[in-house]
Amino acid sequence: DEPVAAGTIPPPVVRFESVSGRGRDAEPLLEDLTLEVPAGGALCLVGPPGSGAAQALQLVAGDGQVHRGRVAFDGADGRPIESPRPLLVDEDPLVLGTTVTENLQATDGAAPPEGAYADALERLDLRPYLRQLPFGDATRLGPTGLRLPLPERQKIHLARVVLSPPPVLLLVRPLSALDPAPRWRTLRKVLEALRGRSTVLFVPVSPAEAELAERVAWIEDGRLRAVGTPAEVARDPAWVALIGSR
């Protein structure tokens, strides 16, 4: 089949086909990883520190080397997509040196619809902080957003994602600067907003956050230990120990 050119595309299916390789981190080597993330769905990759879960995201982003197999992206019609330009968001996201509102604008610079803008602020619980700023969301931020506390920087970046979701979104320890309860609540709202609009893969701060995804991939020492729904993976007695260790 002819590949679909990247552009304004719907969220694709993301497939790891017997992938062995490394992300930009040296260790561990991922070996024979086979996974499929449904279009518009969310997959949580969990594992102990150094398991290789974050490296799997790096390979999807094209930031590493695939030695065997491949990472593939397919449209709803089954045709391959050349490059959906996955967006990787780490724990220390960049905030532009513009106003809060301009930071939340779509990639093409278009102002977001009023209702969508208000919804994004609500989902990320940004209104209490904005009320403290001298000009609210018209306040200009520092050149790299360094004047913002890290929790608000993470929230503003994810609010932008909610307003302009990429076809494939990769999240590394999303909202790590928040306490566990607000992080859980906010991440749930973000994933709800992205369902069907973006194919999401994320490595959580806590394995317990895997419950927020439709599917879970449990990785240890670069290998897939288990994959399934959160309830299915939780049947493994070692899962309780993994959650307790974090």
Side-chain angles (χ1 to χ4, degrees):
D1 293 337
E2 288 294 323
V4 177
T8 304
I9 60 173
V13 175
V14 178
R15 288 186 289 111
F16 293 81
E17 299 179 347
S18 301
V19 170
S20 295
R22 299 182 191 276
R24 64 173 178 265
D25 301 326
E27 299 292 341
L29 173 70
L30 292 169
E31 297 188 57
D32 197 29
L33 187 63
T34 297
L35 286 170
E36 180 173 304
V37 190
L43 173 75
C44 180
L45 296 98
V46 298
S51 64
Q55 288 207 65
L57 298 194
Q58 293 166 12
L59 291 180
V60 176
D63 190 7
Q65 293 184 328
V66 175
H67 304 315
R68 292 191 303 275
R70 66 173 186 148
V71 178
F73 308 96
D74 291 339
D77 58 2
R79 288 194 297 164
I81 295 172
E82 288 183 353
S83 174
R85 294 193 289 273
L87 175 64
L88 178 64
V89 179
D90 62 20
E91 294 181 79
D92 191 16
L94 176 68
V95 174
L96 304 177
T98 59
T99 68
V100 174
T101 301
E102 289 168 335
N103 263 277
L104 299 186
Q105 286 181 339
T107 307
D108 59 6
E114 183 177 347
Y117 181 83
D119 178 70
L121 294 181
E122 188 69 28
R123 287 180 185 275
L124 274 300
D125 193 28
L126 279 165
R127 291 193 183 279
Y129 182 75
L130 294 180
R131 283 195 289 267
Q132 301 175 32
L133 299 181
F135 303 105
D137 57 8
T139 302
R140 182 169 292 274
L141 307 179
T144 60
L146 295 178
R147 286 166 48 191
L148 281 176
L150 182 57
E152 277 63 45
R153 203 162 2 123
Q154 292 179 340
K155 288 180 179 182
I156 285 174
H157 198 86
L158 282 183
R160 178 186 174 103
V161 167
V162 166
L163 285 168
S164 304
V168 178
L169 176 64
L170 312 171
L171 300 174
V172 178
R173 293 171 55 84
L175 300 167
S176 60
L178 274 62
D179 289 335
R183 182 175 63 242
W184 175 287
R185 181 173 61 251
T186 306
L187 183 57
R188 176 178 57 81
K189 292 178 181 179
V190 168
L191 293 175
E192 286 175 350
L194 294 172
R195 187 170 297 129
R197 304 169 66 210
S198 187
T199 303
V200 181
L201 294 80
F202 70 99
V203 175
V205 177
S206 165
E209 293 160 15
E211 293 184 21
L212 299 174
E214 288 92 0
R215 295 184 66 76
V216 180
W218 183 358
I219 298 176
E220 288 188 348
D221 298 321
R223 293 182 174 274
L224 185 64
R225 171 166 177 155
V227 62
T229 65
E232 290 169 343
V233 172
R235 291 173 190 152
D236 188 323
W239 180 256
V240 176
L242 177 66
I243 292 179
S245 68
R246 304 286 290 279

